[in-house]
Amino acid sequence: MAKPTDRPTQHVAIVGGGAAGMSCAATLVNHPDKFKVTIFERNEVLGGQATSTALDEPKHGASWMNNGVQGGSKIFKHTFNFFNEQGSPPQEVKLQVSFGKGVDEFWTNVFPSTLVQKHASDIRRFGRFLTIIKWALPLIGIIPISVMLRLFFFKKDFGDKMVYPLIALFLGTGNQTASVPCGIVERLFNDPNMKLWDYDSSTLLPNLPTMYTFDNLHQFYKKWADYIKDRGANIRTRAEVCTVLSRSKTGVKLRIKNLGNGDITDEDFDDLVLCTLADDSLRILGKEASWRERFVLNGAAFYDDVTVTHSDAEYFEKYYETHFQQELCANPKTEAQEQQITFAKGSDSESKGFRPMYFTHTYKENPRLIEMSFNCSNYQHQLVKGQDTKRDHIEPVYQTIFLDKKQESLWTIHEIDETKIIKRNSWHQLGHKWQHYLRVVPGMMFLNGKNRTLYAGSWTLVNMHEIACVSGIAAAYRLGANYNKFDEFASKFFAKYLLLSHGLSFSREERRRTRNSG
């Protein structure tokens, strides 16, 4: 890739207006003397999977809800920084989960359950298991978590009912959870730059960890787009990049279709940033894809899921534990557990009781296959507020995610009352299988920067909004933009991603740039 100083202004084409594409553009427009930026987005609105849905406010307590992306943890520093810059700060919530149904299947992080007490020894051993993986990471890190659990003689029920649902919550891995590398699981529990919360030796998942919900994502991305356009970027929605016609040392030629009027144009750019899914990127590259790109990008596996947003309380309560029930509760063994039960009952004056946000339902035919749901009225801050102020008149809003269309025969989707359905969405989601971390993740550094092309998106590492943002910033940095050091934790996170996906040492690159500028 040519150095930024080769041309007075680089015209950069960014394909995809989701978190990665917008982060890349937002970083590049800080240097109007260096970069001319054009974003191509085939949809009418920006944000990718981070979208919002309109609601009937008198019926549900708010006029909108976020769809596709619900929230994040304290490690989402770059995401929160962009939100704060646009006057849309995230809102703090305490995470409550409800896994399984019935005394023998159910557990939560809110109060002690029979299942947690039953697997107390496995939970304690799981901490030692994570430590062993940490020290042997280079040798065994790629082995699927399901294999490692068997090798360490964990009970099958412990994996099926506790570990796999929790990993699905971490990564959104759905029905590919058992194939996730054990090294990724260890990192998500122990790595300060990756973990969502700490491992708990008594309950596996800590009691009520802090999470954050996002402001109206549709409005946020609209404000963000205006901010980027005000700084000179050209954002073209309903514009599809059909194919890459050529790539050379001097630039990239793209064929672009205007989906509004059908016009097709061939346009030249200096550099290309593909902020699209791996399979979409390969389709766009077409015959221009190198053998390396075909090998690495074909290693990313995607699955077709369906999300149904609805208000069918009868369906929801059939498959999930939604309220505190004494029979679900194990006998407290400590004062802390007694306090947790008091909280869950709502008998504490400061408590709103057991109001779970995240749920899983496992199929009896195959307990490693699940459906995931959210009670959005207990999770998204605007719905929580509406429910609290108008509780007697509000219908809760749920989202149920049906995973992997190939398993459609197991889905309970047809049991949802059609009159209660608010919206259906189809998603093309990454599967975090062990092959992804053997082939795709380590291969990205050998693609980025070649043939005047860079890649960004959460699929390059882990399916999180934060990774999408960091990947877009990293692509801009690789082109010559500066990295804004606003937080020490964020800088370390960025440096690790830059090394992994671009093969660049952040500190060494910063020293080089300092010398060159001097």
Side-chain angles (χ1 to χ4, degrees), residues 353-377:
F354 181 52
R355 298 172 69 172
M357 308 160 180
Y358 183 94
F359 305 77
T360 60
H361 163 67
T362 59
Y363 301 114
K364 294 189 183 301
E365 299 89 337
N366 187 339
R368 291 187 181 180
L369 303 182
I370 66 173
E371 292 174 358
M372 301 188 297
S373 286
F374 296 98
N375 183 336
C376 300
S377 294

Side-chain angles (χ1 to χ4, degrees), residues 216-350:
N216 187 312
L217 288 170
H218 177 76
Q219 295 299 324
F220 164 70
Y221 273 92
K222 188 176 183 300
K223 286 190 291 184
W224 205 10
D226 291 340
Y227 172 88
I228 291 170
K229 285 189 287 189
D230 286 345
R231 280 150 184 78
N234 181 16
I235 299 179
R236 292 162 60 175
T237 56
R238 299 285 290 155
E240 180 177 16
V241 177
C242 303
T243 191
V244 176
L245 296 173
S246 65
R247 293 184 294 177
S248 68
K249 292 181 178 179
T250 58
V252 179
K253 183 181 286 290
L254 305 179
R255 177 156 291 167
I256 299 152
K257 182 177 182 179
N258 184 321
L259 298 178
N261 57 25
D263 288 350
I264 295 176
T265 57
D266 296 343
E267 303 180 31
D268 293 305
F269 299 89
D270 295 316
D271 294 283
L272 171 65
V273 184
L274 287 169
C275 301
T276 48
L277 298 178
D279 50 359
D280 277 338
S281 296
L282 266 181
R283 176 186 56 79
I284 292 168
L285 288 171
K287 294 179 181 179
E288 280 293 309
S290 67
W291 70 267
R292 284 191 182 90
E293 287 168 324
R294 287 193 293 270
F295 175 77
V296 173
L297 300 182
N298 271 323
F302 294 88
Y303 298 85
D304 295 317
D305 305 335
V306 173
T307 295
V308 179
T309 304
H310 62 95
S311 59
D312 190 346
E314 183 177 346
Y315 164 86
F316 212 76
E317 293 185 13
K318 176 181 178 180
Y319 286 103
Y320 306 108
E321 298 293 356
T322 62
H323 306 288
F324 179 83
Q325 300 178 63
Q326 192 65 48
E327 60 265 30
L328 296 174
C329 188
N331 291 326
K333 294 184 176 181
T334 65
E335 183 179 345
Q337 289 183 344
E338 290 179 356
Q339 292 173 352
Q340 289 169 6
I341 294 171
T342 300
F343 173 92
K345 288 179 177 179
S347 51
D348 185 326
S349 61
E350 296 182 0

Side-chain angles (χ1 to χ4, degrees), residues 268-494:
D268 293 305
F269 299 89
D270 295 316
D271 294 283
L272 171 65
V273 184
L274 287 169
C275 301
T276 48
L277 298 178
D279 50 359
D280 277 338
S281 296
L282 266 181
R283 176 186 56 79
I284 292 168
L285 288 171
K287 294 179 181 179
E288 280 293 309
S290 67
W291 70 267
R292 284 191 182 90
E293 287 168 324
R294 287 193 293 270
F295 175 77
V296 173
L297 300 182
N298 271 323
F302 294 88
Y303 298 85
D304 295 317
D305 305 335
V306 173
T307 295
V308 179
T309 304
H310 62 95
S311 59
D312 190 346
E314 183 177 346
Y315 164 86
F316 212 76
E317 293 185 13
K318 176 181 178 180
Y319 286 103
Y320 306 108
E321 298 293 356
T322 62
H323 306 288
F324 179 83
Q325 300 178 63
Q326 192 65 48
E327 60 265 30
L328 296 174
C329 188
N331 291 326
K333 294 184 176 181
T334 65
E335 183 179 345
Q337 289 183 344
E338 290 179 356
Q339 292 173 352
Q340 289 169 6
I341 294 171
T342 300
F343 173 92
K345 288 179 177 179
S347 51
D348 185 326
S349 61
E350 296 182 0
S351 165
K352 295 176 182 176
F354 181 52
R355 298 172 69 172
M357 308 160 180
Y358 183 94
F359 305 77
T360 60
H361 163 67
T362 59
Y363 301 114
K364 294 189 183 301
E365 299 89 337
N366 187 339
R368 291 187 181 180
L369 303 182
I370 66 173
E371 292 174 358
M372 301 188 297
S373 286
F374 296 98
N375 183 336
C376 300
S377 294
N378 287 347
Y379 193 177
Q380 295 189 27
H381 61 272
Q382 80 286 357
L383 290 169
V384 172
K385 183 178 179 181
Q387 187 174 224
D388 288 342
T389 56
K390 310 169 188 175
R391 197 172 183 84
D392 295 336
H393 310 288
I394 294 300
E395 284 189 20
V397 181
Y398 310 109
Q399 278 192 338
T400 303
I401 306 172
F402 301 94
L403 301 158
D404 189 3
K405 207 165 178 61
K406 294 177 182 177
Q407 307 292 341
E408 191 173 2
S409 62
L410 298 173
W411 290 0
T412 63
I413 191 170
H414 303 296
E415 297 184 44
I416 300 175
D417 185 342
E418 286 286 338
T419 65
K420 300 284 188 178
I421 292 177
I422 299 168
K423 191 175 182 67
R424 296 175 189 261
N425 290 96
S426 296
W427 309 106
H428 196 52
Q429 297 277 28
L430 173 69
H432 298 72
K433 301 174 74 172
W434 64 269
Q435 295 94 332
H436 185 77
Y437 296 93
L438 184 65
R439 181 171 168 182
V440 180
V441 173
M444 292 312 301
M445 71 170 68
F446 301 104
L447 304 187
N448 275 316
K450 302 294 190 296
N451 298 316
R452 304 197 73 89
T453 304
L454 292 154
Y455 297 87
S458 60
W459 64 268
T460 59
L461 184 56
V462 176
N463 192 21
M464 295 179 184
H465 192 276
E466 176 70 359
I467 295 295
C469 288
V470 171
S471 69
I473 299 168
Y477 183 80
R478 187 71 184 273
L479 287 167
N482 292 333
Y483 174 75
N484 174 27
K485 298 178 183 178
F486 65 94
D487 178 272
E488 184 179 357
F489 178 93
S491 295
K492 290 179 179 178
F493 191 113
F494 175 77

